[in-house]
Structure formats: C-alpha cells, structure tokens
Amino acid sequence: MNRHQVLGIFERIAIHGVLVAAALVMLTPLVWMISTSLKASGHSLSRGIEWLPWEDIYVSDALKTPVIVLGARVRNEEAGNTIEVGIASLRDRRRRTEVSLPEGRFSGEVLEYRVRNVSEADQTAEAFWIPCDQLERRIGPRWSNYSEALVKMRFFSLLANTVAITFLGTLGTVLSCSLVAYGFARFRFPGRETLFMVLLSSMMLPPVVTMIPVYLIFRDLHWIDTLLPLFAPAWLGTNAFNVFLFRQFYMTLPFDLDDAARIDGCSSFRIYWSILLPLSKPVMATVGIFSFTGLWLDFMGPLIYLNSIEKFTLSLGLYIFKGPYTVQWDYLMAATLVVSLPCIVIFFLGQRFFIQGTVLSGLKA
Amino acid sequence: MTLNIRSQRFREAASGYLFILPWIAGFLVFILGPMLASLYLSFCRYDPSQVRSGATWIGVANYVKMLTDDENFWPSLRVTFRYSIISIPVQLLAGLTVAILLNQKVRGQRFYRTCFYLPVVLGGVATSLIWMWLFSPSQGLINVGLANLYEALGRDSHLTHILSGSLRAVFGSAEDNPLLPGWTASEEGALNSLILMSLWGVGGSMIVNLAGLQAIPTVFYEAATIDGAGRASRLWHITLPLLSPTIFFNLVMGVIGSFQVFTQGFIMTGGGPKNATRFYVLYTYQNGFEYFKMGYASALAWVLFVIVLVFTLLIVRSSAAWVFYEAQKR
C-alpha cells in the first residue's frame, strides 16, 4: 500500500464517522419517541436514560404488580444516617447505588422504595413503601399506552375525517392538475406563455396573504366547520407545482400519439383520459404522494376552519391532545407515532417518487 | 382553405382554454381575488366578531398603527428576521455538507439518505411535539443526558463549566438547575432552540443538493485532476459553480419558507416566553383569528408579502453575479 491508498482509507473512515454520527443524531428523536411511547407514565421522571422500556415490578407473595418508583430511603454510610430521596436522585435501581443531591453525591445502600401502582392513571394514587429486595425489573413494553391514547384522542373519528380530506383532496389534485397541464402542454392559444408564467409565480405567493379573504369566502358559503374548505380548492388545479410536474412530463411525450389517436377519431378529452394520463403514472405517483402527505399533515387549514371536535383532523387532534398545561408524554408520543405512521410507510414504499419529486422541484430553478 | 385553418386554430385554442379552465377559476377565486380583497381589507377596519359589521374604509390607518403604535409588530418582525438570518445559512451549509459527503460514493448511501430524509416526512406537528419532549428542561432527553455528562465530568470541572456556559449562552438557562440550558422555556434560548430544531429537517435541501451534485459530469473532475487541481480547488472551481443553481433554489425556498414559520411557534411555545418566538405569521394569525381584526391582519399579511417579494427579487438580481448557468457561458 502506498501513501495515497492509506490516506484514502483514513478518509473513508472519517467520512463514515461523520455520517454515522449525523445519522444517529437524526434518528435519536424518533427512537426516543418510540421508547417513551412504550413506558409507563411517570416512569420518564427517573434520572438515568433508559432506551428500553424497563418495568418496575413489586413482588409480594406470588403476586407481581407493575409499579412506578417515586423515591427511596437510602443509608448514607459515610455520614451514618438514613435519608429519603426522590427517584430523580438515584443513579439506578441497584441495591448499592450512587445518590446525587444538590449538596453533593454519595454512594449509599437502598433500604426501601416508595412506589405507587401503575395501573392507576391518577397521579395522586396512594404511594407505599416496599423493601428493596421486593422490587424486580424486567423489560415490559406497555402496548396498552397505544390503545389508551388512541381512545383518549378519539382517534377513529379523527382518522375518518383525515382520510376523507386526504382522499378527496389527492384525487382532486391529480385529476385537475393533470387536466390543466394537458391544456398547457398540448394546445396553442393566445396568452399561453403568460398564463403559465402567472401559474409558476403563484407558487411564490405566501398563503398568509390570501388566508383571510379565502376564509371569508368559505364563511359566506357556510362551509366553516365542514371538511369542504380543506379539499375543495384542490379540485381547481390550485397547486401550481403539481401542474408544472405534469406539464413537464407531457412535454416529453411525442405528439404522434395524439395525432394517431385523433385520426382514429378520438376527442381531445379521450386523448387525455385514455392515452396521456395512463402514461403519466410516475408523475401521478409523485403528485399523489406529495398531495397525500401535504393534506395529512396540514395543520393551519384545520386550525382555521374546524371548530367542533367531531370534525377535527389527526394533526389538529394531536395538538388538542397535548393540552395546554400538563402533558402525558407516553400517550402523546404513542399518538404522534400512530398519526405519523402512514406518512412514514408511504415514504418507504414510494421513496423513489418522493425523492424524484423533491429533486424535480429543485432542478427547475 | 384559410378559413379551415383559422377555424382549426380557433378550435384548438378553445379546447386549450377549456382544459385550463379549472385553474383559471381556481386562480381567480382562490388567489387573485383574495389577493386584491386582502389589499382592500388592509385599508379597512373589519372586526367581524362584532355582529357581522361590514368593513369600514380607514385609509392607511392600519399601516400607521403597525409602524407607530403596536408593541408586537416590531418584536415579531425582529424574531422572524433573526430566525431567517441564522437558520437559512446554517441550513444551506448543513444541506450542502451532508450532500457532498454522501456524494463521495460512500457505501450505504441509500441508508444514510433515508436517515436524513425521514424527519422531513413527519411534518410540523409531530416534529414540534417530539422536540417539546426532547427540550423539556427537567425531564427531556437532552437535559437528562447533559446532567449525566456533567456528573461524569465532575460538576465543578473546568470542562463542565465551559460546556455548560457556552450552551447556556446560546440556549438560555433552566429555571431550577444552574448548569442546564432552558431551551424553549427560556426567553433567551427559545428562538435559538427552534433554529437548532430546524436542522432536523435538513434532509429536504440535502436531497436537492445531492441530485444537483450527481448531475455534474465526472469528466470535469477527471480533467481537473489531470491538470493538477487539488481537492479544495475542485470544490471551489467545479462543484460550487455547477451547483450554484441548486443553491440558488434552496436559498429562495429558504427565504420564502422561513418567513412563514408558524407551527413551531404556535404549538411549542405559543409565541412565548415573553414574545421570544412570536413569529410574524403567528402574530398575523392571532390578529385575524383570535382577535378577529381581519383588516389589520390583512395589512400585516401584505407587509410580509412585500418583504418576501423584495428579498426574493434581491436574490434573483444578485444571482447574475454568482449563479452559473451552463447554457450562457461567458
């Protein structure tokens, strides 16, 4: 090996080192979300970071009850006294452990734990003391967090609304944008270039500028607190970027296709519907995926237009579920994961189209 | 014959208009009409919470009030500018760095790409909630991790002081612990915390950059290497010029996007603490839909529009100097 090759190997290692570190940073919040979602509430209060959903079990006679450890009575051998500390001060659940208090640290022996029953969701459930050797630990993911969180946030009613908006909006976007793009790509008419420029520049318009008058339009139509404002505009080809994607694709298809069909007596609409549209499946996938995730994740629209809880979408429901003050993180993380899951799945299934779309958005510059 | 051609042209044009009709209608009803309406409303008092009152023309009073008599206007503008001025360059640089590293034909490129892009598909609400949890000053992963780290280093050690001091200088101080940063709960640290969080979404610009990099023909690099160009010189004379259209696009999108930040401020901090994250669009939303001052909110929206327009035009103007298009070689 010459000097050059050695340098090359070092370089590879350095690049991978940086990338692995960065990828870990990217994934950590997701892993922590999953980890939190499987723990008992209140468990998150302990001081050490536990990635796996450990469970504290109180063993008395043959009965095993999951508990939350709140604190402990610890003997400080150096000082020769026994003190009560909160769980946040203990390093781990071993018998001999390190206790850190604001005044300093010491190593002590745990005599008793103060615990409460985990099954009682009520934070004020009565606490009791158990001897140190009656506490066991095991890995126990609390799947019930998911079912409980979903019931609490009225998941299925929110899901129905979200699915309706997403489905109707995506369908409208794909149909209307491809139709409009067909007009721009295949017909000559006065003002075509100007109109297309107008369409492109409308992408730059901050939605906040039109937010209030559009709200007033829907108010006068009595559409407030219905799902209509959230998907109806999509049927009018209002998403300029999607029109652009379809048009670029149609431009690459030979006109001979149209001419041949026209000679066979096809109408313009038939040419669009039976020839160009079926050919544009890759673009349909890209537009569909973008539209799906956009509508699924939309927050400001539902926030503005929906008032009653039966009409809420999932992203709005998540926000309400968070509540203004106290947050039950295990439930909230479980709900967040479930709500995000369709987008994650779609991303993995359609990664190619997803990335293609993002890339096309960049290359038009 | 000419008549025939003319009627054929006419029919083609008519079909064309017919096909783009949905967009024309949509554009008039949802874009152009509302734009003009909000311009008109911006010169009116319109507070529809008061029993369907109509809009009253008050001239430039909304704009005057904004500039002289609104204690929240300038702070929210300042917050938004600070967010943009820091987050845009940081995002650009991070997106570029990751893309360049990935483009070194590393093994597992697809895996890394997925890792970086995954957070982008979660959207604003989920991202905000996850990071609220991470940022929690007393129980959050970051502060619990830092507390453990400081203890391992020794609470009074030099290293702990440097680390904790510099983190708290940027991200504020936690209320109940003198060593830990306060993140979104502290007035000084909230905005910087949101900027840090925005880096989690770097995958979007990375993907665009990566595609731009892959479009650069390798012969350029081969030729440059034969001519003795080093790594830095190849980056400076080949990669960056050929990637400049992509960087330009990311810059424009970054400006448009960062001036419209809303969800994070609304969900995570509610604009607080003490207005530290009351972004401009958040303030506009509050005026329109919480205080129902729709005339005033329209004026705020138009000011934002003009600001974004001016910045976009400045960037487009400046692009002649630094964006390199192959088609127009000088």
Side-chain angles (χ1 to χ4, degrees), chain B residues 174-254:
Chain B
E175 255 177 34
D176 50 359
N177 190 318
L179 283 178
L180 297 175
W183 307 111
T184 46
S186 80
E187 195 185 339
E188 307 78 41
L191 188 62
N192 291 337
S193 307
L194 295 187
I195 293 172
L196 180 72
M197 183 183 104
S198 76
L199 275 179
W200 204 44
V202 79
S205 69
M206 173 210 72
I207 292 273
V208 179
N209 280 327
L210 196 56
L213 286 172
Q214 283 166 352
I216 299 176
T218 45
V219 283
F220 290 168
Y221 293 109
E222 285 155 14
T225 314
I226 290 169
D227 289 349
R231 166 156 312 196
S233 141
R234 270 176 287 165
L235 177 70
W236 187 252
H237 293 291
I238 301 175
T239 309
L240 289 182
L242 289 177
L243 200 62
S244 58
T246 312
I247 299 173
F248 169 74
F249 170 79
N250 279 333
L251 181 62
V252 173
M253 284 301 148

Side-chain angles (χ1 to χ4, degrees), chain B residues 95-278:
Chain B
L96 196 61
T97 311
V98 178
I100 288 177
L101 286 181
L102 276 187
N103 200 40
Q104 306 295 311
K105 300 195 185 67
V106 290
R107 203 177 278 182
Q109 193 199 52
R110 279 177 59 101
F111 169 75
Y112 289 123
R113 195 178 61 179
T114 306
C115 288
F116 283 101
Y117 198 76
L118 196 54
V120 180
V121 301
L122 292 182
V125 179
T127 302
S128 300
L129 295 177
I130 294 172
W131 280 83
M132 269 181 86
W133 176 216
L134 294 173
F135 278 147
S136 162
S138 55
Q139 307 169 38
L141 178 68
I142 305 179
N143 271 7
V144 172
L146 280 177
N148 286 342
L149 177 69
Y150 294 159
E151 253 171 40
L153 294 172
R155 233 186 262 194
D156 297 311
S157 74
H158 205 58
L159 207 54
T160 301
H161 276 275
I162 296 175
L163 206 58
S164 140
S166 40
L167 276 176
R168 280 178 295 131
V170 183
F171 300 110
S173 298
E175 255 177 34
D176 50 359
N177 190 318
L179 283 178
L180 297 175
W183 307 111
T184 46
S186 80
E187 195 185 339
E188 307 78 41
L191 188 62
N192 291 337
S193 307
L194 295 187
I195 293 172
L196 180 72
M197 183 183 104
S198 76
L199 275 179
W200 204 44
V202 79
S205 69
M206 173 210 72
I207 292 273
V208 179
N209 280 327
L210 196 56
L213 286 172
Q214 283 166 352
I216 299 176
T218 45
V219 283
F220 290 168
Y221 293 109
E222 285 155 14
T225 314
I226 290 169
D227 289 349
R231 166 156 312 196
S233 141
R234 270 176 287 165
L235 177 70
W236 187 252
H237 293 291
I238 301 175
T239 309
L240 289 182
L242 289 177
L243 200 62
S244 58
T246 312
I247 299 173
F248 169 74
F249 170 79
N250 279 333
L251 181 62
V252 173
M253 284 301 148
V255 168
I256 293 177
S258 71
F259 272 103
Q260 296 188 70
V261 173
F262 170 78
T263 309
Q264 301 92 305
F266 186 83
I267 292 184
M268 297 176 71
T269 56
K274 288 194 189 144
N275 289 348
T277 55
R278 199 202 286 257

Side-chain angles (χ1 to χ4, degrees), chain A residues 11 26 36 47 188 190 207, chain B residues 12 17 133 144 200 231 260:
Chain A
E11 189 190 295
M26 288 291 172
T36 306
R47 193 172 64 97
R188 277 162 300 177
Chain B
E12 187 183 340
Y17 286 125
W133 176 216
V144 172
W200 204 44
R231 166 156 312 196
Q260 296 188 70

Side-chain angles (χ1 to χ4, degrees), chain B residues 32-97:
Chain B
L32 188 62
M35 262 178 86
L36 299 176
S38 85
L39 184 61
Y40 171 76
L41 277 178
S42 78
F43 293 104
C44 293
R45 176 183 300 119
Y46 185 48
D47 310 339
S49 64
Q50 277 130 38
V51 204
R52 276 292 160 99
S53 56
T56 332
W57 182 268
I58 51 169
V60 292
N62 282 332
Y63 293 95
V64 173
K65 183 186 166 202
M66 201 184 297
L67 300 175
T68 58
D69 186 29
D70 180 347
E71 55 178 1
N72 291 320
F73 172 75
W74 292 109
S76 68
L77 202 57
R78 203 174 311 128
V79 165
T80 308
F81 264 98
R82 242 190 78 194
Y83 181 85
S84 307
I85 284 174
I86 305 174
S87 76
I88 295 172
V90 170
Q91 284 259 14
L92 280 181
L93 202 65
L96 196 61
T97 311

